[in-house]
Amino acid sequence: MNSALSIFFNVDRIYVAQVEFTSKGMILKYVNSTKNRVDLENIENDTSRQGIEELEEILNDINF
């Protein structure tokens, strides 16, 4: 089946969702978020680094 991955960078955290498309619609396969945000204008600060590490862990958990 076809699937899609959505990554949303909000001001307080990153939201991740994976959906699978079926003949009857979409199935939510995975949803998660980081505890830390990533400041895209300053990715070198500690909070951004923690957020990036969390996002990497989340992406490693998803079965592509």
Side-chain angles (χ1 to χ4, degrees), residues 1-44:
M1 292 285 166
N2 292 329
S3 64
L5 181 67
S6 173
I7 302 174
F8 178 68
F9 290 84
N10 201 6
V11 296
D12 62 337
R13 64 186 66 210
I14 303 168
Y15 296 93
V16 179
Q18 180 187 23
V19 294
E20 184 177 284
F21 301 100
T22 68
S23 60
K24 295 182 179 183
M26 290 189 295
I27 299 171
L28 180 62
K29 299 296 281 187
Y30 184 88
V31 65
N32 204 342
S33 68
T34 63
K35 294 178 183 172
N36 293 288
R37 66 187 186 105
V38 173
D39 182 355
L40 296 176
E41 294 178 356
N42 185 11
I43 59 171
E44 296 298 322

